[in-house]
Amino acid sequence: MPELPDVEIFKRLVERHLLGRVVARSVVADPGSLEGATAATLQRRLKGRRLASCQRHGKVLLVGFDDAGMLAMHFGTNGSLQHLPRDADEPPYVRILFDFTEGDRLAYINPRRIGQVCVTDSAGAFIADQALGPDALDPAFDEKAFAASLANRKQVIKAVLMDQARVAGIGNIYADEILFQARLHPGLAANMLDAGMRHRLFGAMKHVLQTAIDCGAGAEDFSDRLPKGFLLPERHAGGHCPRCGTQLAIDKHGGRTSYHCPSCQPEAIG
C-alpha cells in the first residue's frame, strides 16, 4: 500500500517532469475514481490550466492548477502515478489520464479501484475536511507534538501510529519498521510508553520514513537498497530478525497483521 515515502516519490516525479506544464485534456476512464466533479466538469476546469504546484500531506498527493483548485490523489492499496513521455504505451488500469500540451501524460493508475482523485478548492480545505493529523515528516511536527499525539491513548501503539488523524502518512508496513527500529512491541498500549520509549519511537519514525524516500520507495529493487538492519526485506512468512536472527512473529495488532521480533521487541515493559 502506498504510504508516505511512496507518495513522496510520486510528488518528486510530478515536480521533475510536469510542474509548469499546461493541461490539454483530462480523460476519466473510470468515473468512480473521481470525486467532487464529473468527467466533463473536470475537463472544462483543467483545460488550458498550468500545473502550478505539487505537495504531499501524509499519504495524499495534492496537485494544484492555476485558478482551478487542486486534485487530492489518494492511492488506496496499490495505486500509483506514472509519467508517460510522448508516444509511450499506456499501462493497464489507468483510471484518469492527464494530457499536457507538450505531449507528456500523467496516468493515475489503480488496479483495485480503492483510491480516488478528489477535486478540492485548496490543500487546507481537504486536510481539514478529512481531519488529517500533522504530516509525519513535517519539521514543525516535533518531539513535543508527537508526544502529545500519544498522550492518554489506550490503544496499542501500532494502531495509534496508523491513525491518520493523529499522524498522517504511516501505514501497516512502515509502522512495523518504525516499531522494530525503536525496539517496541506493536501491542504495547500507547499510554504505557515512558519518555525514553517515546524518544526512540519519534527518532525511528523520522529516520525510517526519510531513509525509505532516500532509497527510492516503491521501486522493484527498493528493499535491496535499504541499509543493513532494516526489517522490511524479512517482512514475510518465515522471515528472521536482521538483528538477532530470531524468526519473526506474525500476529494481529490494531486489526492489522504485524511482523515483529519476539526477542528484540519484548511484549513486557521493564
Side-chain angles (χ1 to χ4, degrees):
M1 176 182 290
E3 299 181 29
L4 184 155
D6 309 274
V7 180
E8 179 65 24
I9 299 300
F10 300 156
K11 170 181 173 286
R12 296 181 182 188
L13 177 146
V14 172
E15 290 176 334
R16 182 167 65 251
H17 295 290
L18 298 167
L19 199 62
R21 299 291 181 91
V22 175
V23 178
R25 66 170 185 159
S26 55
V27 180
V28 180
D30 175 28
S33 294
L34 180 64
E35 182 180 340
T38 64
T41 300
L42 185 70
Q43 166 68 1
R44 289 194 301 270
R45 185 167 183 162
L46 297 187
K47 186 176 182 180
R49 303 295 185 181
R50 183 175 65 95
L51 197 163
S53 66
C54 187
Q55 65 187 91
R56 179 194 52 71
H57 190 91
K59 303 178 187 180
V60 179
L61 187 68
L62 295 141
V63 181
F65 299 86
D66 282 338
D67 303 318
M70 307 194 83
L71 298 180
M73 298 181 175
H74 191 280
F75 298 93
T77 56
N78 61 348
S80 63
L81 275 186
Q82 187 171 333
H83 166 247
L84 305 176
R86 186 190 298 271
D87 300 326
D89 292 336
E90 186 175 313
Y93 307 113
V94 174
R95 305 302 178 185
I96 304 177
L97 186 68
F98 304 93
D99 290 342
F100 294 85
T101 55
E102 294 85 353
D104 294 58
R105 291 169 291 163
L106 180 66
Y108 172 80
I109 301 165
N110 207 322
R112 296 184 64 184
R113 301 180 65 211
I114 293 176
Q116 283 188 316
V117 174
C118 178
V119 179
T120 184
D121 291 332
S122 68
F126 180 83
I127 291 167
D129 181 66
Q130 298 295 309
L132 296 176
D135 183 87
L137 284 185
D138 186 341
F141 187 54
D142 58 15
E143 191 165 350
K144 182 178 179 180
F146 178 69
S149 73
L150 304 184
N152 302 318
R153 307 304 300 178
K154 295 181 180 180
Q155 297 102 321
V156 299
I157 186 58
K158 179 168 181 177
V160 176
L161 282 178
M162 294 174 58
D163 183 351
Q164 301 304 297
R166 295 274 160 188
V167 185
I170 302 170
N172 195 34
I173 291 173
Y174 286 105
D176 278 354
E177 185 68 65
I178 290 165
L179 290 164
F180 175 75
Q181 297 298 332
R183 295 177 178 261
L184 294 173
H185 191 280
L188 292 174
N191 63 352
M192 295 298 292
L193 271 58
D194 61 26
M197 293 172 176
R198 292 193 298 269
H199 176 74
R200 294 204 312 269
L201 187 60
F202 177 77
M205 176 185 71
K206 298 283 188 176
H207 171 68
V208 165
L209 296 175
Q210 189 59 57
T211 299
I213 292 167
D214 294 342
C215 292
E220 288 185 6
D221 57 350
F222 163 63
S223 63
D224 296 336
R225 304 177 192 174
L226 289 169
K228 184 178 179 181
F230 262 58
L231 179 73
L232 286 179
E234 291 290 328
R235 193 181 177 276
H236 56 78
H240 291 79
C241 174
R243 237 187 245 124
C244 70
T246 301
Q247 184 165 329
L248 298 179
I250 306 173
D251 47 27
K252 293 277 188 179
H253 295 102
R256 303 297 297 274
T257 300
S258 295
Y259 292 76
H260 64 278
C261 173
S263 178
C264 296
Q265 298 168 266
E267 188 168 6
I269 296 177

